Amino acid sequence: MGTGTGTGTGEGTGVRLSVVAAGAGDDVPYGAGGGPDFPAASVVKVAILAALLRRGPEPDARQRARARAMILRSDNDAATDLWRVLGGAGALDEACAEWGLTETYADPAWGLTRTTARDQLTLLRTVFREPRYAYLRRLMGQVVPDQAWGVSAAGPERAALKNGWMPMRATGLWVVHSVGRVGGRFVAVLSDGHPSKEAGIARVEEAARRAVRGLG
């Protein structure tokens, strides 16, 4: 398995980008050295639903409807509802500790939770290996077409993914992330400092393709 650097900044642009990718095994992943932390934006929705499934019981009909809206369409109101059901930042921190996410820190405003690409890779491996998260895996494979960008660019197969994006109030620059599984490879790309969402998507997709090529 190939390895390589997973972090970098744009050429004089102030863009930050961190990428980690791995195959299905436990080998050292591409970009294993870690990188900076970022506001999670909507990729934290994977952790929110995973934390609910971890705790049990199975979500009821209303919660399943909210989960579908949150993952398939990235609905923020649905995420806020499930965040309250979960119990907020403390409950997410408890789940992250169990999963071994040592660089993720929940924020009461869930989109401002801090995380790293390395932690997102750890979470992906957990979600795709443990039976209790099968429902979440199915939803990640059904994201609406106009949100199916990102790590999906790294392979011809349909990806199971979740993306996140938001402009930062202080700067107007965009956070753009993509995490998921494509072609049996796990890929997490986190980035910020983009002048637009579209520019961020282009950078994230190129990073995902480069990471999968780096796996060999």
Side-chain angles (χ1 to χ4, degrees), residues 70-96:
M70 179 177 72
I71 302 298
L72 273 62
R73 296 188 286 104
S74 206
D75 185 280
N76 289 335
D77 290 338
T80 297
D81 282 352
L82 293 179
W83 181 246
R84 292 171 179 153
V85 172
L86 176 63
L92 184 60
D93 280 336
E94 179 183 325
C96 288

Side-chain angles (χ1 to χ4, degrees), residues 99-124:
W99 296 324
L101 276 58
T102 60
E103 300 168 326
T104 298
Y105 306 96
D107 190 282
W110 48 262
L112 297 180
T113 293
R114 306 296 297 193
T115 192
T116 64
R118 180 164 52 188
D119 266 9
Q120 289 301 304
L121 177 68
T122 298
L123 179 57
L124 286 170

Side-chain angles (χ1 to χ4, degrees), residues 3 16 21 30 41 50-51 53-54 84 90-91 96 101 125-126 147 149 156 162-163 172 177 180 182 202 204 207:
T3 61
R16 296 190 310 156
Y30 174 97
L53 296 172
R54 160 190 169 270
R84 292 171 179 153
C96 288
L101 276 58
R125 283 173 154 171
T126 299
Q147 294 184 19
W149 45 263
K162 182 71 191 78
N163 297 325
H177 306 322
V182 58
V204 164

Side-chain angles (χ1 to χ4, degrees), residues 21-34:
D26 293 318
D27 297 332
V28 176
Y30 174 97

Side-chain angles (χ1 to χ4, degrees), residues 3-173:
T3 61
T5 180
T7 63
T9 59
E11 297 176 0
T13 66
V15 171
R16 296 190 310 156
L17 186 146
S18 182
V19 55
V20 181
D26 293 318
D27 297 332
V28 176
Y30 174 97
D37 68 348
F38 296 84
S42 285
V43 297
V44 77
K45 293 169 182 174
V46 173
I48 292 171
L49 183 51
L52 284 168
L53 296 172
R54 160 190 169 270
R55 188 175 65 186
E58 287 293 314
D60 61 26
R62 183 180 185 280
Q63 291 168 3
R64 289 195 299 273
R66 302 309 272 165
R68 287 184 59 82
M70 179 177 72
I71 302 298
L72 273 62
R73 296 188 286 104
S74 206
D75 185 280
N76 289 335
D77 290 338
T80 297
D81 282 352
L82 293 179
W83 181 246
R84 292 171 179 153
V85 172
L86 176 63
L92 184 60
D93 280 336
E94 179 183 325
C96 288
E98 180 181 293
W99 296 324
L101 276 58
T102 60
E103 300 168 326
T104 298
Y105 306 96
D107 190 282
W110 48 262
L112 297 180
T113 293
R114 306 296 297 193
T115 192
T116 64
R118 180 164 52 188
D119 266 9
Q120 289 301 304
L121 177 68
T122 298
L123 179 57
L124 286 170
R125 283 173 154 171
T126 299
V127 165
F128 279 86
R129 288 177 178 175
E130 296 190 14
R132 75 175 89 176
Y133 303 117
Y135 177 61
L136 173 54
R137 295 195 295 270
R138 289 197 299 272
L139 294 184
M140 292 175 69
Q142 299 170 19
V143 169
V144 295
D146 66 354
Q147 294 184 19
W149 45 263
V151 301
S152 57
E157 304 87 352
R158 181 177 177 86
L161 56 76
K162 182 71 191 78
N163 297 325
W165 61 96
M166 66 179 181
M168 298 302 291
R169 289 183 180 178
T171 64
L173 298 175

